[in-house]
């Protein structure tokens, strides 16, 4: 039985005849009621679940980057940024058994869109304790919808710490450099660095570039 809010024909939460109502992103969503839910536990189905679970856990680590990098795609698909991240990266997960799945960090996409990106230097600065620096070598000015109002970001992922840090935004300008602060507990650990651009004009606001894997480095 559903619970009614706002009176007759208002929001319906729960089972309503042959439908189920729920609230998602401040909207009411209705789906068909499934009386008998199948829960197959074949090896192949468990492998699918293991792949999804790996990406769901990663989406928590990459949360701050995904809120930017998949915002526009999520709006288009009426899906969460995490859902878009999982769907985009599912094909990059490898493994032949449910207890042995993995993803190559260089294959992880943290943003997706049609905006023109920038070119990052493959040299990752780690000489200053507590800080990772990345420089931009080409802003791809006047290519596609690239604009000086766009914002450049980089994200640093530390697998051993199961955590990540997002940089502050830098404008798409010549000589742009991004710095990311990380916890002292990461010292001596390996990190992977990603970069992407978010549109800043009226036409491209929130639109992302495809993310670029900049490289990996050991922290000092």
């Amino acid at each position: 039985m559903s619970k009614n809010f706002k009176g007759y024909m208002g929001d319906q939460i729960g089972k309503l005849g042959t439908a189920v109502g729920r609230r998602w992103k401040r909207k009411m969503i209705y789906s068909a009621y499934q009386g008998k839910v199948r829960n197959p536990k074949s090896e192949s189905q468990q492998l699918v679940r293991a792949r999804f679970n790996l990406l769901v856990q990663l989406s928590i680590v990459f949360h701050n980057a995904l809120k930017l990098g998949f915002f526009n795609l999520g709006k288009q698909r009426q899906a969460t940024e995490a859902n878009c991240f999982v769907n985009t990266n599912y094909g990059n997960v490898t493994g032949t058994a449910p207890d042995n799945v993995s993803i190559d960090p260089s294959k992880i996409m943290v943003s997706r869109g049609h905006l023109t990106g920038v070119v990052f230097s493959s040299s990752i600065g780690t000489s200053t304790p507590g800080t990772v620096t990345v420089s931009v070598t080409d802003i791809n000015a006047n290519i596609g919808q690239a604009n000086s109002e766009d914002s450049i970001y980089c994200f640093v992922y530390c697998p051993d710490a199961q955590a990540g840090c997002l940089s502050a935004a830098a404008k798409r300008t010549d000589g742009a450099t991004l710095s990311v602060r990380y916890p002292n507990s990461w010292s001596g650990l390996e990190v992977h660095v990603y970069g992407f651009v978010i549109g800043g004009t009226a036409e491209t606001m929130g639109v992302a570039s495809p993310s670029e894997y900049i490289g990996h480095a050991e922290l000092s």
Side-chain angles (χ1 to χ4, degrees):
M1 179 178 294
S2 71
K3 295 181 180 180
N4 177 275
F5 300 88
K6 301 179 184 177
Y8 176 67
M9 294 302 291
D11 295 351
Q12 303 285 341
I13 306 299
K15 187 173 182 291
L16 179 66
T18 59
V20 177
R22 60 188 174 90
R23 196 179 285 116
W24 180 81
K25 286 198 171 185
R26 294 179 293 181
K27 297 179 181 179
M28 284 304 305
I29 304 295
Y30 294 93
S31 57
Y33 172 68
Q34 300 293 329
K36 296 181 179 180
V37 180
R38 296 183 60 195
N39 185 26
K41 295 184 179 180
S42 65
E43 184 77 9
S44 60
Q45 184 61 34
Q46 291 185 63
L47 179 57
V48 168
R49 292 175 181 173
R51 288 177 171 177
F52 272 109
N53 184 62
L54 172 65
L55 290 172
V56 168
Q57 296 306 311
L58 274 179
S59 72
I60 297 172
V61 175
F62 282 77
H63 174 77
N64 289 338
L66 307 188
K67 294 293 286 185
L68 295 169
F70 285 99
F71 169 78
N72 193 63
L73 185 62
K75 185 170 66 173
Q76 292 174 353
R77 295 183 175 181
Q78 294 191 336
T80 66
E81 293 85 3
N83 180 269
C84 293
F85 170 78
V86 170
N87 289 336
T88 297
N89 288 283
Y90 182 80
N92 294 327
V93 178
T94 59
T96 56
D99 59 351
N100 185 27
V101 294
S102 62
I103 185 170
D104 182 342
S106 69
K107 303 295 185 182
I108 297 175
M109 295 290 294
V110 302
S111 69
R112 183 177 172 185
H114 65 264
L115 189 70
T116 302
V118 297
V119 180
F120 295 92
S121 169
S122 59
S123 177
I124 300 171
T126 60
S127 59
T128 302
T131 304
V132 168
T133 58
V134 174
S135 60
V136 176
T137 60
D138 190 343
I139 60 172
N140 287 328
N142 303 316
I143 297 179
Q145 292 180 298
N147 189 277
S148 60
E149 293 301 310
D150 299 340
S151 296
I152 308 171
Y153 295 87
C154 68
F155 185 81
V156 178
Y157 165 50
C158 181
D160 288 337
Q162 278 299 288
C165 295
L166 181 69
S167 73
K171 290 299 182 183
R172 191 195 287 257
T173 56
D174 291 326
T177 299
L178 297 95
S179 298
V180 184
R181 294 284 299 167
Y182 62 83
N184 292 335
S185 58
W186 289 16
S187 295
L189 301 180
E190 183 181 48
V191 295
H192 299 268
V193 185
Y194 309 82
F196 59 96
V197 184
I198 300 295
T201 68
E203 294 77 17
T204 64
M205 188 66 64
V207 177
S209 70
S211 65
E212 178 181 335
Y213 178 70
I214 299 172
H216 61 96
E218 184 175 312
L219 300 177
S220 57

